[in-house]
PDB file of all heavy atoms in Angstrom:
ATOM      1  N   GLN G  22       0.435  36.715 -47.144  1.00 41.00           N
ATOM      2  CA  GLN G  22      -0.142  37.840 -47.878  1.00 41.00           C
ATOM      3  C   GLN G  22       0.154  37.759 -49.367  1.00 41.00           C
ATOM      4  O   GLN G  22      -0.645  38.179 -50.173  1.00 41.00           O
ATOM      5  CB  GLN G  22       0.429  39.154 -47.340  1.00 41.00           C
ATOM      6  CG  GLN G  22      -0.221  39.602 -46.051  1.00 41.00           C
ATOM      7  CD  GLN G  22       0.281  40.969 -45.659  1.00 41.00           C
ATOM      8  OE1 GLN G  22       1.462  41.264 -45.782  1.00 41.00           O
ATOM      9  NE2 GLN G  22      -0.632  41.802 -45.197  1.00 41.00           N
ATOM     10  N   GLU G  24       0.637  35.035 -51.191  1.00 56.00           N
ATOM     11  CA  GLU G  24       0.158  33.833 -51.862  1.00 56.00           C
ATOM     12  C   GLU G  24      -0.908  34.213 -52.880  1.00 56.00           C
ATOM     13  O   GLU G  24      -1.823  34.969 -52.599  1.00 56.00           O
ATOM     14  CB  GLU G  24      -0.409  32.851 -50.846  1.00 56.00           C
ATOM     15  CG  GLU G  24      -0.547  31.459 -51.415  1.00 56.00           C
ATOM     16  CD  GLU G  24      -0.814  30.441 -50.332  1.00 56.00           C
ATOM     17  OE1 GLU G  24      -0.036  30.396 -49.359  1.00 56.00           O
ATOM     18  OE2 GLU G  24      -1.801  29.720 -50.472  1.00 56.00           O
ATOM     19  N   LYS G  37      -7.712  30.233 -76.663  1.00 80.00           N
ATOM     20  CA  LYS G  37      -6.531  30.682 -77.399  1.00 80.00           C
ATOM     21  C   LYS G  37      -6.703  32.142 -77.758  1.00 80.00           C
ATOM     22  O   LYS G  37      -7.795  32.693 -77.677  1.00 80.00           O
ATOM     23  CB  LYS G  37      -6.360  29.867 -78.685  1.00 80.00           C
ATOM     24  CG  LYS G  37      -5.920  28.450 -78.475  1.00 80.00           C
ATOM     25  CD  LYS G  37      -5.662  27.780 -79.794  1.00 80.00           C
ATOM     26  CE  LYS G  37      -5.039  26.412 -79.559  1.00 80.00           C
ATOM     27  NZ  LYS G  37      -4.610  25.782 -80.782  1.00 80.00           N
ATOM     28  N   TYR G  61       0.302  35.266 -71.276  1.00 91.00           N
ATOM     29  CA  TYR G  61      -0.418  36.443 -71.767  1.00 91.00           C
ATOM     30  C   TYR G  61       0.203  36.938 -73.077  1.00 91.00           C
ATOM     31  O   TYR G  61      -0.486  37.131 -74.076  1.00 91.00           O
ATOM     32  CB  TYR G  61      -0.383  37.541 -70.698  1.00 91.00           C
ATOM     33  CG  TYR G  61      -0.968  38.861 -71.122  1.00 91.00           C
ATOM     34  CD1 TYR G  61      -2.237  38.948 -71.689  1.00 91.00           C
ATOM     35  CD2 TYR G  61      -0.260  40.048 -70.935  1.00 91.00           C
ATOM     36  CE1 TYR G  61      -2.780  40.175 -72.060  1.00 91.00           C
ATOM     37  CE2 TYR G  61      -0.797  41.268 -71.288  1.00 91.00           C
ATOM     38  CZ  TYR G  61      -2.049  41.325 -71.860  1.00 91.00           C
ATOM     39  OH  TYR G  61      -2.587  42.532 -72.228  1.00 91.00           O
ATOM     40  N   GLU G  67      -0.353  34.816 -80.522  1.00 93.00           N
ATOM     41  CA  GLU G  67      -1.231  33.852 -81.191  1.00 93.00           C
ATOM     42  C   GLU G  67      -2.400  34.561 -81.888  1.00 93.00           C
ATOM     43  O   GLU G  67      -2.861  34.121 -82.937  1.00 93.00           O
ATOM     44  CB  GLU G  67      -1.785  32.908 -80.120  1.00 93.00           C
ATOM     45  CG  GLU G  67      -2.062  31.523 -80.546  1.00 93.00           C
ATOM     46  CD  GLU G  67      -2.438  30.664 -79.331  1.00 93.00           C
ATOM     47  OE1 GLU G  67      -3.106  31.132 -78.399  1.00 93.00           O
ATOM     48  OE2 GLU G  67      -2.048  29.495 -79.356  1.00 93.00           O
ATOM     49  N   GLU G  70      -1.728  39.999 -82.446  1.00 95.00           N
ATOM     50  CA  GLU G  70      -1.703  41.342 -81.851  1.00 95.00           C
ATOM     51  C   GLU G  70      -0.243  41.695 -81.561  1.00 95.00           C
ATOM     52  O   GLU G  70       0.183  41.807 -80.409  1.00 95.00           O
ATOM     53  CB  GLU G  70      -2.535  41.368 -80.566  1.00 95.00           C
ATOM     54  CG  GLU G  70      -4.013  41.173 -80.775  1.00 95.00           C
ATOM     55  CD  GLU G  70      -4.687  42.403 -81.382  1.00 95.00           C
ATOM     56  OE1 GLU G  70      -4.150  43.523 -81.224  1.00 95.00           O
ATOM     57  OE2 GLU G  70      -5.738  42.234 -82.015  1.00 95.00           O
ATOM     58  N   ASP G  72       1.822  44.358 -82.013  1.00 95.00           N
ATOM     59  CA  ASP G  72       2.262  45.588 -81.340  1.00 95.00           C
ATOM     60  C   ASP G  72       2.086  45.468 -79.826  1.00 95.00           C
ATOM     61  O   ASP G  72       2.995  45.786 -79.058  1.00 95.00           O
ATOM     62  CB  ASP G  72       1.488  46.808 -81.861  1.00 95.00           C
ATOM     63  CG  ASP G  72       1.874  47.161 -83.297  1.00 95.00           C
ATOM     64  OD1 ASP G  72       2.985  46.769 -83.720  1.00 95.00           O
ATOM     65  OD2 ASP G  72       1.074  47.822 -83.988  1.00 95.00           O
ATOM     66  N   TYR G  85      11.669  39.941 -65.753  1.00 93.00           N
ATOM     67  CA  TYR G  85      12.264  38.611 -65.569  1.00 93.00           C
ATOM     68  C   TYR G  85      13.453  38.432 -66.519  1.00 93.00           C
ATOM     69  O   TYR G  85      13.404  37.628 -67.455  1.00 93.00           O
ATOM     70  CB  TYR G  85      11.211  37.527 -65.823  1.00 93.00           C
ATOM     71  CG  TYR G  85       9.938  37.782 -65.050  1.00 93.00           C
ATOM     72  CD1 TYR G  85       8.783  38.227 -65.700  1.00 93.00           C
ATOM     73  CD2 TYR G  85       9.887  37.611 -63.662  1.00 93.00           C
ATOM     74  CE1 TYR G  85       7.616  38.482 -64.991  1.00 93.00           C
ATOM     75  CE2 TYR G  85       8.723  37.872 -62.952  1.00 93.00           C
ATOM     76  CZ  TYR G  85       7.594  38.307 -63.617  1.00 93.00           C
ATOM     77  OH  TYR G  85       6.443  38.571 -62.914  1.00 93.00           O
ATOM     78  N   PHE G  91      11.118  34.848 -72.818  1.00 95.00           N
ATOM     79  CA  PHE G  91      10.585  36.139 -73.261  1.00 95.00           C
ATOM     80  C   PHE G  91      11.370  36.664 -74.465  1.00 95.00           C
ATOM     81  O   PHE G  91      10.790  37.172 -75.419  1.00 95.00           O
ATOM     82  CB  PHE G  91      10.604  37.167 -72.125  1.00 95.00           C
ATOM     83  CG  PHE G  91       9.538  36.931 -71.086  1.00 95.00           C
ATOM     84  CD1 PHE G  91       9.869  36.373 -69.859  1.00 95.00           C
ATOM     85  CD2 PHE G  91       8.212  37.255 -71.322  1.00 95.00           C
ATOM     86  CE1 PHE G  91       8.891  36.144 -68.895  1.00 95.00           C
ATOM     87  CE2 PHE G  91       7.228  37.023 -70.364  1.00 95.00           C
ATOM     88  CZ  PHE G  91       7.571  36.473 -69.145  1.00 95.00           C
ATOM     89  N   LEU G  94      10.436  34.614 -77.482  1.00 95.00           N
ATOM     90  CA  LEU G  94       9.113  35.013 -77.961  1.00 95.00           C
ATOM     91  C   LEU G  94       9.199  36.342 -78.702  1.00 95.00           C
ATOM     92  O   LEU G  94       8.531  36.541 -79.717  1.00 95.00           O
ATOM     93  CB  LEU G  94       8.145  35.094 -76.780  1.00 95.00           C
ATOM     94  CG  LEU G  94       6.664  35.308 -77.077  1.00 95.00           C
ATOM     95  CD1 LEU G  94       6.142  34.371 -78.164  1.00 95.00           C
ATOM     96  CD2 LEU G  94       5.840  35.144 -75.809  1.00 95.00           C
ATOM     97  N   GLU G 110      18.781  40.328 -83.653  1.00 95.00           N
ATOM     98  CA  GLU G 110      19.271  40.900 -82.394  1.00 95.00           C
ATOM     99  C   GLU G 110      18.677  40.165 -81.187  1.00 95.00           C
ATOM    100  O   GLU G 110      19.380  39.888 -80.217  1.00 95.00           O
ATOM    101  CB  GLU G 110      18.926  42.389 -82.323  1.00 95.00           C
ATOM    102  CG  GLU G 110      19.736  43.238 -83.285  1.00 95.00           C
ATOM    103  CD  GLU G 110      19.194  44.656 -83.430  1.00 95.00           C
ATOM    104  OE1 GLU G 110      18.381  45.081 -82.574  1.00 95.00           O
ATOM    105  OE2 GLU G 110      19.575  45.329 -84.400  1.00 95.00           O
ATOM    106  N   GLU G 113      20.334  36.801 -80.922  1.00 95.00           N
ATOM    107  CA  GLU G 113      21.704  36.931 -80.416  1.00 95.00           C
ATOM    108  C   GLU G 113      21.701  37.106 -78.891  1.00 95.00           C
ATOM    109  O   GLU G 113      22.595  36.602 -78.210  1.00 95.00           O
ATOM    110  CB  GLU G 113      22.403  38.121 -81.101  1.00 95.00           C
ATOM    111  CG  GLU G 113      22.789  37.814 -82.533  1.00 95.00           C
ATOM    112  CD  GLU G 113      23.273  39.022 -83.325  1.00 95.00           C
ATOM    113  OE1 GLU G 113      22.977  40.183 -82.927  1.00 95.00           O
ATOM    114  OE2 GLU G 113      23.935  38.814 -84.364  1.00 95.00           O
ATOM    115  N   SER G 114      20.680  37.783 -78.368  1.00 94.00           N
ATOM    116  CA  SER G 114      20.550  37.913 -76.907  1.00 94.00           C
ATOM    117  C   SER G 114      20.240  36.558 -76.271  1.00 94.00           C
ATOM    118  O   SER G 114      20.765  36.228 -75.208  1.00 94.00           O
ATOM    119  CB  SER G 114      19.438  38.907 -76.552  1.00 94.00           C
ATOM    120  OG  SER G 114      19.764  40.185 -77.002  1.00 94.00           O
ATOM    121  N   VAL G 130      21.652  30.927 -88.147  1.00 95.00           N
ATOM    122  CA  VAL G 130      22.342  30.522 -89.378  1.00 95.00           C
ATOM    123  C   VAL G 130      21.522  30.973 -90.576  1.00 95.00           C
ATOM    124  O   VAL G 130      22.037  31.591 -91.521  1.00 95.00           O
ATOM    125  CB  VAL G 130      22.575  28.985 -89.431  1.00 95.00           C
ATOM    126  CG1 VAL G 130      23.072  28.554 -90.797  1.00 95.00           C
ATOM    127  CG2 VAL G 130      23.554  28.548 -88.351  1.00 95.00           C
ATOM    128  N   GLY G 137      22.965  38.212 -95.648  1.00 94.00           N
ATOM    129  CA  GLY G 137      24.255  38.411 -96.313  1.00 94.00           C
ATOM    130  C   GLY G 137      25.469  38.306 -95.414  1.00 94.00           C
ATOM    131  O   GLY G 137      26.585  38.618 -95.836  1.00 94.00           O
ATOM    132  N   TYR G 138      25.284  37.851 -94.172  1.00 95.00           N
ATOM    133  CA  TYR G 138      26.424  37.666 -93.265  1.00 95.00           C
ATOM    134  C   TYR G 138      26.917  36.221 -93.372  1.00 95.00           C
ATOM    135  O   TYR G 138      26.757  35.432 -92.441  1.00 95.00           O
ATOM    136  CB  TYR G 138      26.023  37.970 -91.821  1.00 95.00           C
ATOM    137  CG  TYR G 138      25.430  39.332 -91.580  1.00 95.00           C
ATOM    138  CD1 TYR G 138      24.121  39.453 -91.106  1.00 95.00           C
ATOM    139  CD2 TYR G 138      26.157  40.498 -91.798  1.00 95.00           C
ATOM    140  CE1 TYR G 138      23.559  40.702 -90.856  1.00 95.00           C
ATOM    141  CE2 TYR G 138      25.594  41.747 -91.556  1.00 95.00           C
ATOM    142  CZ  TYR G 138      24.299  41.840 -91.083  1.00 95.00           C
ATOM    143  OH  TYR G 138      23.744  43.064 -90.835  1.00 95.00           O
ATOM    144  N   LYS G 139      27.514  35.884 -94.502  1.00 95.00           N
ATOM    145  CA  LYS G 139      27.898  34.480 -94.774  1.00 95.00           C
ATOM    146  C   LYS G 139      28.912  33.953 -93.757  1.00 95.00           C
ATOM    147  O   LYS G 139      28.806  32.810 -93.317  1.00 95.00           O
ATOM    148  CB  LYS G 139      28.462  34.337 -96.192  1.00 95.00           C
ATOM    149  CG  LYS G 139      27.534  34.796 -97.297  1.00 95.00           C
ATOM    150  CD  LYS G 139      26.369  33.869 -97.442  1.00 95.00           C
ATOM    151  CE  LYS G 139      25.502  34.299 -98.623  1.00 95.00           C
ATOM    152  NZ  LYS G 139      24.264  33.590 -98.714  1.00 95.00           N
ATOM    153  N   GLU G 140      29.894  34.778 -93.405  1.00 95.00           N
ATOM    154  CA  GLU G 140      30.909  34.323 -92.441  1.00 95.00           C
ATOM    155  C   GLU G 140      30.284  34.020 -91.083  1.00 95.00           C
ATOM    156  O   GLU G 140      30.614  33.027 -90.437  1.00 95.00           O
ATOM    157  CB  GLU G 140      32.009  35.379 -92.281  1.00 95.00           C
ATOM    158  CG  GLU G 140      33.045  35.334 -93.382  1.00 95.00           C
ATOM    159  CD  GLU G 140      34.164  36.344 -93.152  1.00 95.00           C
ATOM    160  OE1 GLU G 140      34.580  36.532 -91.982  1.00 95.00           O
ATOM    161  OE2 GLU G 140      34.621  36.936 -94.135  1.00 95.00           O
ATOM    162  N   SER G 158      21.340  19.873 -90.135  1.00 93.00           N
ATOM    163  CA  SER G 158      21.111  21.157 -90.798  1.00 93.00           C
ATOM    164  C   SER G 158      22.383  22.004 -90.809  1.00 93.00           C
ATOM    165  O   SER G 158      22.676  22.676 -91.795  1.00 93.00           O
ATOM    166  CB  SER G 158      19.935  21.910 -90.171  1.00 93.00           C
ATOM    167  OG  SER G 158      20.146  22.108 -88.806  1.00 93.00           O
ATOM    168  N   TYR G 162      24.423  23.035 -94.196  1.00 93.00           N
ATOM    169  CA  TYR G 162      24.785  24.420 -94.530  1.00 93.00           C
ATOM    170  C   TYR G 162      26.271  24.512 -94.867  1.00 93.00           C
ATOM    171  O   TYR G 162      26.664  25.143 -95.852  1.00 93.00           O
ATOM    172  CB  TYR G 162      24.447  25.382 -93.379  1.00 93.00           C
ATOM    173  CG  TYR G 162      24.782  26.801 -93.756  1.00 93.00           C
ATOM    174  CD1 TYR G 162      23.908  27.541 -94.542  1.00 93.00           C
ATOM    175  CD2 TYR G 162      26.001  27.371 -93.388  1.00 93.00           C
ATOM    176  CE1 TYR G 162      24.231  28.831 -94.943  1.00 93.00           C
ATOM    177  CE2 TYR G 162      26.325  28.660 -93.782  1.00 93.00           C
ATOM    178  CZ  TYR G 162      25.439  29.375 -94.560  1.00 93.00           C
ATOM    179  OH  TYR G 162      25.769  30.649 -94.977  1.00 93.00           O
ATOM    180  N   SER G 164      28.157  22.202 -95.949  1.00 92.00           N
ATOM    181  CA  SER G 164      28.510  21.366 -97.105  1.00 92.00           C
ATOM    182  C   SER G 164      28.516  22.143 -98.423  1.00 92.00           C
ATOM    183  O   SER G 164      29.150  21.725 -99.383  1.00 92.00           O
ATOM    184  CB  SER G 164      27.542  20.175 -97.216  1.00 92.00           C
ATOM    185  OG  SER G 164      26.275  20.609 -97.675  1.00 92.00           O
ATOM    186  N   PRO G 183      14.564   2.968-101.773  1.00 64.00           N
ATOM    187  CA  PRO G 183      14.147   2.737-103.164  1.00 64.00           C
ATOM    188  C   PRO G 183      12.711   2.232-103.187  1.00 64.00           C
ATOM    189  O   PRO G 183      12.288   1.481-102.316  1.00 64.00           O
ATOM    190  CB  PRO G 183      15.126   1.667-103.667  1.00 64.00           C
ATOM    191  CG  PRO G 183      15.656   1.014-102.422  1.00 64.00           C
ATOM    192  CD  PRO G 183      15.569   2.039-101.320  1.00 64.00           C
ATOM    193  N   SER G 184      11.970   2.717-104.140  1.00 61.00           N
ATOM    194  CA  SER G 184      10.578   2.267-104.207  1.00 61.00           C
ATOM    195  C   SER G 184      10.527   0.850-104.754  1.00 61.00           C
ATOM    196  O   SER G 184      11.272   0.489-105.654  1.00 61.00           O
ATOM    197  CB  SER G 184       9.745   3.225-105.059  1.00 61.00           C
ATOM    198  OG  SER G 184      10.371   3.446-106.295  1.00 61.00           O
ATOM    199  N   PRO G 186       8.887  -2.496-106.647  1.00 58.00           N
ATOM    200  CA  PRO G 186       8.149  -2.652-107.907  1.00 58.00           C
ATOM    201  C   PRO G 186       6.636  -2.552-107.685  1.00 58.00           C
ATOM    202  O   PRO G 186       5.923  -2.009-108.523  1.00 58.00           O
ATOM    203  CB  PRO G 186       8.542  -4.044-108.400  1.00 58.00           C
ATOM    204  CG  PRO G 186       9.808  -4.379-107.678  1.00 58.00           C
ATOM    205  CD  PRO G 186       9.800  -3.595-106.415  1.00 58.00           C
ATOM    206  N   SER G 193       1.632   3.781-111.131  1.00 55.00           N
ATOM    207  CA  SER G 193       1.273   3.842-112.555  1.00 55.00           C
ATOM    208  C   SER G 193      -0.218   3.554-112.748  1.00 55.00           C
ATOM    209  O   SER G 193      -0.863   4.158-113.594  1.00 55.00           O
ATOM    210  CB  SER G 193       2.135   2.887-113.383  1.00 55.00           C
ATOM    211  OG  SER G 193       1.830   1.552-113.036  1.00 55.00           O
ATOM    212  N   THR G 196      -2.084   6.752-111.938  1.00 50.00           N
ATOM    213  CA  THR G 196      -2.010   7.782-112.985  1.00 50.00           C
ATOM    214  C   THR G 196      -2.840   7.396-114.193  1.00 50.00           C
ATOM    215  O   THR G 196      -3.374   8.254-114.881  1.00 50.00           O
ATOM    216  CB  THR G 196      -0.553   8.045-113.413  1.00 50.00           C
ATOM    217  OG1 THR G 196       0.046   6.803-113.797  1.00 50.00           O
ATOM    218  CG2 THR G 196       0.252   8.708-112.323  1.00 50.00           C
TER     219      THR G 196
END
Side-chain angles (χ1 to χ4, degrees):
Q22 281 186 319
E24 197 167 307
K37 288 185 172 187
Y61 174 51
E67 212 173 36
E70 293 287 336
D72 290 338
Y85 310 107
F91 286 104
L94 188 48
E110 289 168 16
E113 286 170 340
S114 296
V130 170
Y138 304 118
K139 303 290 184 189
E140 279 183 38
S158 57
Y162 182 81
S164 73
S184 51
S193 67
T196 54

